[in-house]
């Protein structure tokens, strides 16, 4: 078999059940097509936050091993550097050493220097070509840190009145496919397509928003029930798993105020995903036009669960524009950008900067509890689609074997016949932490080693059917994932020995992988106060 091309498509802040083939209302015919002709994984996991997820995906390591345990900011001399370490190897570096051309379009977000090329930038970490943003979030009409290669590409947004970042990411990926073919296409290629959709701000085209007019009028309570029904009917979730209660901090939809604005927020969020799917359709078309679709392994997933972060009215724009570089003061034609979730301002246009809020994020993560940041299922469960006609015979299959981000490095290495090195630039690096998913392409019952998570003190370990998880600084909770994946019945008090056994596994992993205790991180932050959540890009 020839070495396959590999395309990894990662999107940003999308919940488990938003896309059509995972029970959602969003029209995603292209992702649905990949699912219908490939495999869907029901229990695959990210790391609960965008920067750590990207670092883990690209290196096959846990994020703490890569220098990015929280985000891309320095936690002090005793903390994480917030910058991709040179003591790890990336997927493009591995594949480039095995004869691949490498391309990237989209969000990077694993380098602390946002304006000057460093050893943590894409071109220095194995990519032959790069177009995208170094920062983690921003306007879709005029994103900050837009870069081509190692140089600013800001004029590409400023000089094009039709510029929209989701479209630009898709168009660049299409261009890579076509140029690769025109240049002979003798070598296989790896392409990383990292969308910022549907991360806030809520920016979308009017025609895309219009497609969802009325679709969410029933409200989050009814829609959560409908999503779970579709997930069970599709065979993705077990019918015995109960729907988690609505987030207790949120009202019943019938009691919510400002309904017109709330509904519009969800319509724009859906439109963001829709636009991404349209772009994925163009990428698929370019593969078909060049005769490469059948021998290209395409992987799609999200970097964390749905995001419950609010952008309150009155946020100091200087924090977002000057300090974090994730917003603009003005639109490209000079109008003031109004930042904050003002209910008298409908989201979508360039002069708005809003988020969709906690109640809709609760819908996005149906049927699970919690959100991005947390290691309960709502924060870490992601859809995962793998499509590879020449490598996966089964069409439309579902795999229930658990897995997590480091597995993608191991999978790609095995599928491409590549070699994961034990050193980079003469320095020893950690062994890949992942387990290849390739056996699951033919065997639906693959067993695997335990899975681990830690983010901001929120932590978890899953071993077989058992998951130990905590919402920091709370106590450990224990759940039987075979009977209660929605984490409603805490068994910790009834099974202290199992709690102790799993906690010991977690402690061993945390020590080995350099997880810094959250109390120590908070001490460092107290000396240099942690930014409020809206100051944290990503």
């Amino acid at each position: 078999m020839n070495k396959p091309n590999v395309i990894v498509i990662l999107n940003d802040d999308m919940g488990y059940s938003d896309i059509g083939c995972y029970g959602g209302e969003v029209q995603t015919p292209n992702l649905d097509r990949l699912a219908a002709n490939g495999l869907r994984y029901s229990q695959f996991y990210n790391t609960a936050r965008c920067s750590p997820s990207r670092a883990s995906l690209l290196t096959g390591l846990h994020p703490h091993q890569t220098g990015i345990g929280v985000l891309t900011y320095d936690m002090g001399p005793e903390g994480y550097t917030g910058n991709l370490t040179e003591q790890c190897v990336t997927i493009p570096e591995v594949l480039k050493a095995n004869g691949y051309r490498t391309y990237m379009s989209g969000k990077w977000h694993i380098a602390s220097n946002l304006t000057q090329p460093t050893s943590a930038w894409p071109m220095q970490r194995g990519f032959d070509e790069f177009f995208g943003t170094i920062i983690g979030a921003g306007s879709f009409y005029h994103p900050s840190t837009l870069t081509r290669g190692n140089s600013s590409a800001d004029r590409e947004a400023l000089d094009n009145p039709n510029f929209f970042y989701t479209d630009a990411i898709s168009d660049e990926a299409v261009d890579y496919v076509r140029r690769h073919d025109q240049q002979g296409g003798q070598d296989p290629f790896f392409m990383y397509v990292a969308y910022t959709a549907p991360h806030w701000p809520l920016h979308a085209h009017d025609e895309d928003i219009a497609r969802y007019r009325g679709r969410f009028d029933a409200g989050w309570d009814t829609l959560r029930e409908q999503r779970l029904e579709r997930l069970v009917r599709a065979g993705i979730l077990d019918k015995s798993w109960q729907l988690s209660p609505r987030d207790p901090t949120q009202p019943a939809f019938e009691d919510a105020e400002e309904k017109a604005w709330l509904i519009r927020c969800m319509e724009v969020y859906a439109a963001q995903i829709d636009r991404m799917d349209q772009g994925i359709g163009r990428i698929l078309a370019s593969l078909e036009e060049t005769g490469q679709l059948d021998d290209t392994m395409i992987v799609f997933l999200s970097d964390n669960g749905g995001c419950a972060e609010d952008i309150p009215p009155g946020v100091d724009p200087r924090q977002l524009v000057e300090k974090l570089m994730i917003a603009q003061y003005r639109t490209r034609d000079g109008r003031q950008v109004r930042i904050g979730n003002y209910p008298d301002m409908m989201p979508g246009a360039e002069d708005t900067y809003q988020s969709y809020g906690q109640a809709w994020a609760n819908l996005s993560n149906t049927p699970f509890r919690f959100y991005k940041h947390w290691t309960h299922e709502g924060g870490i469960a992601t859809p995962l689609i793998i499509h590879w006609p020449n490598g996966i015979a089964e069409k439309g299959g579902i795999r229930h074997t658990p897995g997590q981000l480091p597995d993608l490095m191991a999978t790609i290495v095995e599928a491409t016949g590549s070699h994961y090195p034990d050193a980079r630039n003469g320095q020893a690096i950690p062994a890949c932490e992942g387990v290849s998913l390739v056996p699951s392409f033919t065997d639906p019952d693959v067993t695997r080693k335990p899975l681990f998570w830690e983010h901001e003190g929120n932590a978890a370990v899953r071993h077989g059917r058992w998951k130990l998880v905590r919402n920091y600084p709370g106590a450990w909770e224990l759940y039987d994932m075979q009977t209660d994946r929605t984490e409603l019945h805490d068994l910790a008090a009834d099974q202290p020995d199992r709690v102790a056994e799993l906690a010991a596994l977690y402690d061993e992993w945390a020590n080995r992988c350099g997880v810094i205790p959250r109390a120590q991180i908070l001490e460092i932050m107290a000396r240099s106060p942690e930014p409020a959540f809206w100051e944290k890009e990503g």
Side-chain angles (χ1 to χ4, degrees), residues 427-458:
Q427 291 187 304
I429 61 172
C432 179
E433 295 280 340
V435 174
S436 174
L437 299 176
V438 169
S440 73
F441 294 172
T442 54
D443 182 356
D445 297 314
V446 176
T447 57
R448 63 153 306 133
K449 63 184 182 182
L451 309 173
F452 298 93
W453 297 265
E454 191 280 339
H455 184 69
E456 297 177 316
N458 303 318

Side-chain angles (χ1 to χ4, degrees), residues 1-47:
M1 181 185 295
N2 294 330
K3 290 184 177 182
N5 302 317
V6 179
I7 299 178
V8 173
I9 303 173
L10 181 71
N11 82 338
D12 201 352
D13 281 18
M14 189 188 77
Y16 181 79
S17 61
D18 280 321
I19 59 177
C21 54
Y22 275 79
E25 301 80 14
V26 185
Q27 299 173 34
T28 52
N30 296 295
L31 287 172
D32 297 352
R33 171 191 172 189
L34 294 177
N37 291 284
L39 299 176
R40 279 173 291 175
Y41 288 74
S42 69
Q43 301 194 62
F44 198 79
Y45 297 103
N46 49 48
T47 67

Side-chain angles (χ1 to χ4, degrees), residues 187-228:
D187 297 328
F189 70 80
F190 168 73
M191 185 163 67
Y192 177 38
V193 184
Y195 289 99
T196 52
H199 193 296
W200 47 255
L202 294 170
H203 284 163
H205 296 271
D206 288 340
E207 63 266 30
D208 294 333
I209 300 169
R211 209 166 9 255
Y212 295 94
R213 190 165 294 131
R215 186 64 186 89
F216 301 100
D217 287 5
W220 43 74
D221 295 311
T222 297
L223 293 173
R224 290 181 76 234
E225 293 174 356
Q226 292 175 355
R227 283 196 184 189
L228 179 56

Side-chain angles (χ1 to χ4, degrees), residues 96-156:
K96 197 169 180 178
N98 286 270
Y100 277 71
R101 291 283 296 171
T102 57
Y103 308 99
M104 178 179 172
S105 180
K107 168 177 168 175
W108 185 237
H109 202 203
I110 50 177
S112 58
N113 192 319
L114 304 179
T115 57
Q116 300 297 320
T118 68
S119 62
W121 275 38
M123 297 290 284
Q124 285 69 34
R125 296 315 294 259
F127 285 103
D128 294 314
E129 297 191 43
F130 165 66
F131 169 80
T133 46
I134 306 300
I135 194 63
S139 169
F140 285 77
Y141 300 94
H142 183 196
S144 298
T145 74
L146 191 64
T147 303
R148 184 174 292 281
N150 281 323
S151 302
S152 172
D154 192 51
R155 296 306 316 180
E156 296 189 35

Side-chain angles (χ1 to χ4, degrees), residues 317-327 329:
R318 291 174 299 179
Q319 295 284 349
L320 283 79
V321 177
E322 298 174 18
K323 181 177 180 181
L324 294 173
M325 301 174 66
I326 61 173
Y329 285 121

Side-chain angles (χ1 to χ4, degrees), residues 202 209 212-220 253-268 342-348 354 356 360:
L202 294 170
I209 300 169
Y212 295 94
R213 190 165 294 131
R215 186 64 186 89
F216 301 100
D217 287 5
W220 43 74
F253 184 73
E254 63 183 19
D255 298 328
E257 300 178 355
E258 308 291 352
K259 279 193 176 66
W261 176 76
L262 286 168
I263 290 169
R264 168 74 173 208
C265 285
M266 190 61 196
E267 290 170 352
V268 177
Y342 295 94
D344 62 344
M345 177 180 66
M346 293 297 178
Q354 300 180 311
Y356 77 152
W360 290 126

Side-chain angles (χ1 to χ4, degrees), residues 446-495:
V446 176
T447 57
R448 63 153 306 133
K449 63 184 182 182
L451 309 173
F452 298 93
W453 297 265
E454 191 280 339
H455 184 69
E456 297 177 316
N458 303 318
V461 53
R462 179 168 175 180
H463 190 16
R465 66 189 291 174
W466 298 102
K467 180 180 176 186
L468 192 69
V469 60
R470 73 175 176 222
N471 174 9
Y472 184 86
W476 286 116
E477 304 161 21
L478 178 68
Y479 298 101
D480 181 345
M481 303 301 280
Q482 189 167 305
T483 63
D484 179 31
R485 192 178 168 204
T486 48
E487 300 172 316
L488 300 182
H489 306 287
D490 180 9
L491 304 175
D494 299 329
Q495 300 199 40

